[in-house]
Amino acid sequence: MTSRVEDRLREALVEAGATVDTGALRPLREPQGRRFRADFRLVTAAAAVVVLAGAATAVWLVGSGDENRAVAAGPGPAGSTEVAVFLCTKSAQEPKCQGRDATREEKDAINRTLSELSQIKEMVFREQGDAYRDFRAAFAHNKAVLDAVKATDVPRSFWLKLREGADWRDVEKALRGTSGVLGVVQQAPPLAETRQSLISVFLCGKESSLPACGAKREPAGKGGFKVTKEGKAVTLAQMRALERTIKAMPGVQSLVFEDKTASYEKFRRQFSENKALLQATKVEDMPEVFRLTLQPEADWAPLVSKLRRQPGVATVQSPCLVDRAVLMSAYGVSLPQSKVCPLDK
């Protein structure tokens, strides 16, 4: 993204009430440790970036206590009525979990609280073994994640289907401060569509602040930077050469080009209820992108490495950002970025 877009997104996030450090809109750094709270905030801050990167899902997350709240840039997507309540595990390292698994008594107490909520239409409890088997199947494409997560890391959970018009935040409020609760997560559909566009290749735009586009910058205060020379936009010749390169790559199943207008329409749909963010972002701010869908079990790492070196390419989104969000939202497991995305170290 250009520095102009970054500035607008930061301003919009502040106006929308985000409780995260909006400086996180720059490339995410590896969090220290495996604290559920810190990682939830990083993913929340990155919600707008996920959408710009082409994922069909953004994640809205909230911890179990007041100090753990991480308010997203806007309300959840329309029609999202599924909520997961994850229970404490020893490996979660959430202070309120006290380094232990939720007890049977705590689970029963959570069950009673949820059973009394009129907002809930259906409720299913997922045992740890079942969750771990689902996790192994879902992340068969990411050996790094499979190697990093043990069966005991995947928490037990309650999966809730809310009644039409119900507010998922009422569930979070009812459980706030409840012993044994690791996190309450609103699920943003559809997961299957999120996983389809595995690689997004962002092209250099006018006024780019990225060195890959020829920009020059120097450090500024508080870990930021200032641009001393703006980058150049991708040329037509570079776009055509990149398209030929992608089509010749092994494992590429389909290729779609997304212009600024198409990117903006996707952005508008994703954040339809976030007026501040929509007003802050214009069509001309949006990137041009090549979306690659890979064949099943295709090795994406060498493709991403090669694409990042091509002229006219600003940045390449690997499946890692989506994988990390799905890992937290669907399985309640927090991993450092280096564990999910070894290529992005």
Side-chain angles (χ1 to χ4, degrees), residues 33-36 86-103 106 128 148-156 180-182 331-334:
R34 294 180 58 192
R35 297 177 68 88
F36 217 63
F86 295 109
L87 306 190
C88 284
T89 64
K90 292 179 181 179
S91 59
Q93 298 183 12
E94 164 61 38
K96 288 193 173 184
C97 290
Q98 300 178 347
R100 61 175 178 80
D101 294 329
T103 65
E106 288 171 335
Q128 192 170 53
V149 179
K150 303 186 299 292
T152 52
D153 294 331
V154 181
R156 296 169 292 165
V181 175
L182 175 60
Y331 299 98
V333 176
S334 171

Coordinates of all heavy atoms in Angstrom, one line a residue, residues 33-36 86-103 106 128 148-156 180-182 331-334:
G33 N 6.5 -14.4 22.5 CA 5.7 -15.5 23.2 C 4.5 -15.9 22.4 O 4.3 -15.6 21.2
R34 N 3.6 -16.6 23.1 CA 2.4 -17.1 22.5 C 1.1 -16.6 23.2 O 0.2 -17.3 23.5 CB 2.4 -18.6 22.4 CG 3.5 -19.2 21.6 CD 3.5 -20.7 21.6 NE 2.2 -21.2 21.1 CZ 1.8 -22.5 21.3 NH1 2.6 -23.3 21.8 NH2 0.6 -22.8 20.8
R35 N 1.1 -15.3 23.6 CA 0.0 -14.8 24.3 C -1.2 -14.5 23.4 O -1.1 -13.8 22.4 CB 0.4 -13.4 25.0 CG 1.6 -13.6 26.0 CD 2.0 -12.3 26.6 NE 0.9 -11.7 27.4 CZ 0.8 -12.0 28.7 NH1 1.7 -12.8 29.3 NH2 -0.1 -11.5 29.4
F36 N -2.3 -15.1 23.8 CA -3.5 -15.0 23.0 C -3.9 -13.5 22.8 O -4.3 -13.1 21.8 CB -4.6 -15.8 23.7 CG -5.5 -16.5 22.8 CD1 -5.1 -17.5 22.0 CD2 -6.9 -16.1 22.7 CE1 -5.9 -18.2 21.2 CE2 -7.7 -16.8 21.9 CZ -7.3 -17.8 21.1
F86 N -13.7 -20.5 23.2 CA -12.6 -21.4 23.4 C -12.2 -21.4 24.9 O -12.2 -20.4 25.6 CB -11.3 -20.9 22.6 CG -11.5 -21.0 21.2 CD1 -11.6 -19.9 20.4 CD2 -11.6 -22.3 20.5 CE1 -11.8 -19.9 19.0 CE2 -11.8 -22.3 19.1 CZ -11.9 -21.2 18.4
L87 N -11.9 -22.7 25.4 CA -11.6 -22.8 26.8 C -10.1 -22.8 27.0 O -9.3 -23.1 26.1 CB -12.2 -24.2 27.3 CG -13.7 -24.4 27.1 CD1 -14.1 -25.7 27.9 CD2 -14.5 -23.2 27.5
C88 N -9.7 -22.5 28.2 CA -8.3 -22.4 28.5 C -7.5 -23.7 28.3 O -8.0 -24.8 28.5 CB -8.1 -22.0 30.0 SG -8.5 -20.3 30.3
T89 N -6.2 -23.5 27.9 CA -5.3 -24.6 27.8 C -4.0 -24.2 28.5 O -3.7 -23.0 28.6 CB -5.0 -25.0 26.3 OG1 -4.3 -23.8 25.7 CG2 -6.2 -25.3 25.5
K90 N -3.2 -25.2 28.8 CA -1.9 -24.9 29.4 C -1.0 -24.0 28.5 O -0.3 -23.2 29.0 CB -1.2 -26.2 29.8 CG -1.9 -27.0 30.9 CD -1.1 -28.3 31.2 CE -1.8 -29.1 32.2 NZ -1.1 -30.4 32.5
S91 N -1.0 -24.3 27.3 CA -0.1 -23.7 26.3 C -0.5 -22.3 25.9 O 0.3 -21.6 25.2 CB 0.2 -24.6 25.1 OG -1.1 -24.8 24.4
A92 N -1.7 -21.9 26.2 CA -2.2 -20.6 25.7 C -1.5 -19.4 26.4 O -1.4 -18.4 25.8 CB -3.7 -20.5 26.0
Q93 N -1.0 -19.6 27.6 CA -0.2 -18.6 28.3 C -1.0 -17.3 28.5 O -0.5 -16.2 28.6 CB 1.1 -18.3 27.6 CG 2.0 -19.4 27.5 CD 3.4 -19.1 26.9 OE1 3.7 -18.0 26.7 NE2 4.1 -20.1 26.5
E94 N -2.3 -17.4 28.5 CA -3.2 -16.3 28.9 C -3.2 -16.2 30.4 O -3.4 -17.1 31.1 CB -4.6 -16.5 28.3 CG -5.7 -15.6 28.9 CD -5.4 -14.2 28.7 OE1 -5.0 -13.8 27.6 OE2 -5.7 -13.4 29.6
P95 N -2.9 -15.0 30.9 CA -2.8 -14.8 32.4 C -4.0 -15.4 33.2 O -3.8 -16.0 34.2 CB -2.6 -13.3 32.6 CG -2.0 -12.9 31.3 CD -2.6 -13.7 30.2
K96 N -5.2 -15.2 32.6 CA -6.3 -15.6 33.4 C -6.5 -17.2 33.4 O -7.2 -17.7 34.2 CB -7.6 -15.0 32.8 CG -7.7 -13.5 33.2 CD -9.1 -13.0 32.9 CE -9.2 -11.5 33.4 NZ -10.5 -11.0 33.3
C97 N -5.8 -17.8 32.4 CA -5.8 -19.3 32.4 C -4.9 -19.9 33.4 O -5.0 -21.1 33.8 CB -5.5 -19.8 31.0 SG -6.8 -19.5 29.8
Q98 N -3.9 -19.1 33.9 CA -3.0 -19.5 35.0 C -2.2 -20.7 34.6 O -1.9 -21.5 35.4 CB -3.8 -19.7 36.3 CG -4.5 -18.4 36.8 CD -5.3 -18.7 38.0 OE1 -5.5 -19.8 38.5 NE2 -5.7 -17.6 38.7
G99 N -1.9 -20.9 33.3 CA -1.1 -22.0 32.8 C -1.7 -23.3 33.0 O -1.0 -24.3 33.2
R100 N -3.0 -23.4 32.9 CA -3.7 -24.7 33.1 C -4.9 -24.8 32.2 O -5.4 -23.8 31.7 CB -4.2 -24.9 34.6 CG -5.2 -23.8 35.0 CD -5.7 -24.1 36.4 NE -6.6 -23.0 36.9 CZ -7.9 -23.0 36.5 NH1 -8.4 -23.9 35.7 NH2 -8.7 -22.0 37.0
D101 N -5.4 -26.1 32.0 CA -6.6 -26.3 31.3 C -7.8 -25.9 32.1 O -7.8 -26.0 33.3 CB -6.7 -27.8 30.9 CG -5.6 -28.2 29.9 OD1 -5.1 -27.4 29.1 OD2 -5.2 -29.4 30.0
A102 N -8.9 -25.6 31.4 CA -10.1 -25.3 32.1 C -10.6 -26.6 32.7 O -10.5 -27.7 32.2 CB -11.2 -24.9 31.1
T103 N -11.1 -26.5 34.0 CA -11.6 -27.7 34.7 C -13.0 -28.1 34.3 O -13.7 -27.3 33.5 CB -11.6 -27.3 36.2 OG1 -12.6 -26.3 36.4 CG2 -10.2 -26.9 36.7
E106 N -15.4 -25.6 35.6 CA -15.5 -24.3 34.8 C -16.2 -24.5 33.5 O -17.0 -23.7 33.1 CB -14.0 -23.9 34.5 CG -13.3 -23.3 35.7 CD -11.9 -23.0 35.5 OE1 -11.3 -23.7 34.6 OE2 -11.3 -22.2 36.2
Q128 N -11.5 -31.8 22.5 CA -10.1 -31.5 22.0 C -9.7 -32.5 20.9 O -9.1 -32.0 19.9 CB -9.2 -31.6 23.2 CG -7.8 -31.0 22.9 CD -7.0 -30.9 24.1 OE1 -6.8 -31.8 24.9 NE2 -6.4 -29.7 24.4
A148 N 4.2 -27.4 14.6 CA 4.3 -26.5 15.7 C 3.1 -26.7 16.7 O 3.3 -26.3 17.9 CB 4.3 -25.1 15.2
V149 N 2.1 -27.3 16.3 CA 0.9 -27.5 17.1 C 0.7 -28.9 17.6 O 0.6 -29.8 16.8 CB -0.4 -27.0 16.4 CG1 -1.6 -27.2 17.3 CG2 -0.2 -25.5 16.0
K150 N 0.6 -29.1 18.9 CA 0.4 -30.4 19.5 C -1.1 -30.5 19.8 O -1.9 -29.5 19.8 CB 1.2 -30.6 20.8 CG 2.7 -30.5 20.6 CD 3.4 -30.8 21.9 CE 3.1 -29.9 23.0 NZ 3.5 -28.5 22.8
A151 N -1.6 -31.8 20.0 CA -3.0 -32.0 20.3 C -3.4 -31.2 21.5 O -4.5 -30.7 21.6 CB -3.2 -33.5 20.5
T152 N -2.5 -31.1 22.5 CA -2.9 -30.4 23.8 C -3.0 -28.9 23.6 O -3.5 -28.2 24.5 CB -1.9 -30.7 24.9 OG1 -0.6 -30.5 24.4 CG2 -2.0 -32.2 25.3
D153 N -2.5 -28.4 22.5 CA -2.5 -26.9 22.2 C -3.9 -26.5 21.7 O -4.3 -25.3 21.8 CB -1.5 -26.5 21.1 CG -0.1 -26.7 21.6 OD1 0.2 -26.6 22.8 OD2 0.8 -27.0 20.8
V154 N -4.7 -27.4 21.1 CA -6.0 -27.0 20.5 C -7.0 -27.1 21.6 O -7.3 -28.2 22.1 CB -6.3 -28.0 19.4 CG1 -7.6 -27.6 18.7 CG2 -5.2 -28.0 18.3
P155 N -7.7 -26.0 21.9 CA -8.6 -26.0 23.0 C -10.0 -26.6 22.7 O -10.4 -26.7 21.5 CB -8.8 -24.5 23.3 CG -8.5 -23.8 22.0 CD -7.5 -24.6 21.3
R156 N -10.6 -27.1 23.7 CA -12.0 -27.4 23.6 C -12.8 -26.2 23.4 O -12.4 -25.1 23.7 CB -12.5 -28.1 24.9 CG -11.8 -29.5 25.2 CD -12.1 -30.0 26.6 NE -11.5 -29.1 27.6 CZ -11.8 -29.1 28.9 NH1 -12.8 -29.9 29.3 NH2 -11.2 -28.3 29.7
G180 N -11.9 -19.9 33.1 CA -11.8 -21.0 32.1 C -12.0 -20.6 30.7 O -11.8 -21.4 29.8
V181 N -12.4 -19.3 30.4 CA -12.6 -18.9 29.1 C -11.3 -18.2 28.5 O -10.8 -17.3 29.0 CB -13.8 -17.8 29.0 CG1 -13.9 -17.3 27.6 CG2 -15.1 -18.5 29.4
L182 N -10.9 -18.8 27.4 CA -9.7 -18.3 26.7 C -10.1 -17.1 25.8 O -9.4 -16.1 25.8 CB -9.0 -19.4 25.9 CG -7.8 -19.0 25.0 CD1 -6.7 -18.4 25.9 CD2 -7.3 -20.2 24.3
Y331 N -9.6 -22.4 15.5 CA -9.1 -23.4 16.4 C -8.5 -22.9 17.7 O -8.1 -23.6 18.5 CB -8.0 -24.2 15.6 CG -8.5 -24.9 14.4 CD1 -8.4 -24.4 13.1 CD2 -9.2 -26.1 14.6 CE1 -9.0 -25.0 12.0 CE2 -9.8 -26.7 13.5 CZ -9.7 -26.2 12.2 OH -10.2 -26.8 11.1
G332 N -8.6 -21.5 17.8 CA -8.2 -20.9 19.1 C -6.7 -21.1 19.5 O -6.4 -21.0 20.6
V333 N -5.9 -21.2 18.4 CA -4.4 -21.4 18.7 C -3.7 -20.2 18.2 O -3.9 -19.8 17.0 CB -3.9 -22.7 18.0 CG1 -2.4 -22.8 18.1 CG2 -4.6 -23.9 18.5
S334 N -2.8 -19.7 19.0 CA -2.0 -18.5 18.6 C -0.6 -18.9 18.4 O 0.0 -19.5 19.3 CB -2.1 -17.4 19.7 OG -1.2 -16.4 19.5

